[in-house]
Amino acid sequence: VCTPVIVVVDGNFRFEYLKYLFSKKQIIIVPLSHESESMLASIVYGVNSIIGSVNGIAVLPGDCSVIPSSIVRKLNKVFFEKNPNFLMPVFKSQQGHPRYVSQRMFNSLYQLNKINGSRFSDIFNKNMSSVLKVEVRSKSIITDADNLIEYQAIIKRYDKGK
């Protein structure tokens, strides 16, 4: 759906195995230098690993695992056609993922990362007037699972079509 795919993992997440597993795909595995790094720092690590030029990035946290590829394709299409600085899906006015950042805004990401305590969402909050919000009809964009029990409950719910 997007290429290349960059996966940022902490050092404890079997980095060498993932590198081997995805070696023949357009997936780049990037290890964090410190496992306590923030999501924003992880994103900056990912951006720094990009080789060549890209239009932007789509950020999909690992705990948002039930977003259908059809939604990602729709968001990609809007991002490439409209070329916004930022794009964010919404479901009934609730902000979701994946979130997109134009290459034009990478420097803003770098600057924000230098501010202690900054979060990835801050770049959207500070630039809300240039965020293109795309309404989607799926709660999946706001659904996350922070542990195995939550993940299993989500999968069970989606298997039943709810």
Side-chain angles (χ1 to χ4, degrees):
V1 177
C2 297
T3 57
V5 172
I6 298 174
V7 179
V8 180
V9 297
D10 72 41
N12 295 323
F13 199 77
R14 298 169 50 181
F15 169 70
E16 291 301 324
Y17 174 70
L18 289 174
K19 223 168 100 172
Y20 166 76
L21 189 64
F22 296 117
S23 62
K24 293 190 168 60
K25 310 255 187 234
Q26 287 189 316
I27 298 176
I28 301 166
I29 308 297
V30 180
L32 287 175
S33 60
H34 301 91
E35 62 184 76
S36 62
E37 297 279 5
S38 68
M39 180 178 176
L40 177 60
S42 300
I43 292 164
V44 169
Y45 272 94
V47 169
N48 285 335
S49 71
I50 296 171
I51 299 169
S53 64
V54 295
N55 291 35
I57 59 171
V59 176
L60 181 61
D63 63 353
C64 300
S65 57
V66 294
I67 299 172
S69 60
S70 59
I71 289 177
V72 175
R73 280 193 295 276
K74 173 186 176 180
L75 296 171
N76 285 350
K77 185 175 188 235
V78 172
F79 184 74
F80 285 107
E81 287 177 356
K82 304 280 185 181
N83 197 23
N85 288 336
F86 303 97
L87 182 142
M88 170 191 334
V90 293
F91 174 75
K92 297 184 178 178
S93 300
Q94 295 180 54
Q95 301 175 358
H97 287 283
R99 294 189 183 189
Y100 292 69
V101 179
S102 167
Q103 179 274 335
R104 295 183 303 276
M105 304 309 294
F106 286 177
N107 195 43
S108 296
L109 276 176
Y110 299 139
Q111 296 306 313
L112 182 63
N113 192 44
K114 293 178 183 177
I115 302 169
N116 194 24
S118 292
R119 301 169 46 114
F120 177 58
S121 59
D122 293 342
I123 198 162
F124 286 83
N125 295 335
K126 291 178 180 180
N127 296 284
M128 200 52 78
S129 64
S130 63
V131 174
L132 176 59
K133 295 179 183 176
V134 179
E135 185 70 37
V136 297
R137 294 183 178 132
S138 174
K139 189 176 182 178
S140 65
I141 65 151
I142 58 170
T143 303
D144 70 346
D146 295 320
N147 57 56
L148 182 59
I149 293 168
E150 289 178 5
Y151 177 74
Q152 288 170 335
I154 290 168
I155 295 302
K156 194 174 190 178
R157 205 168 46 237
Y158 276 86
D159 283 346
K160 290 181 180 179
K162 295 184 178 184

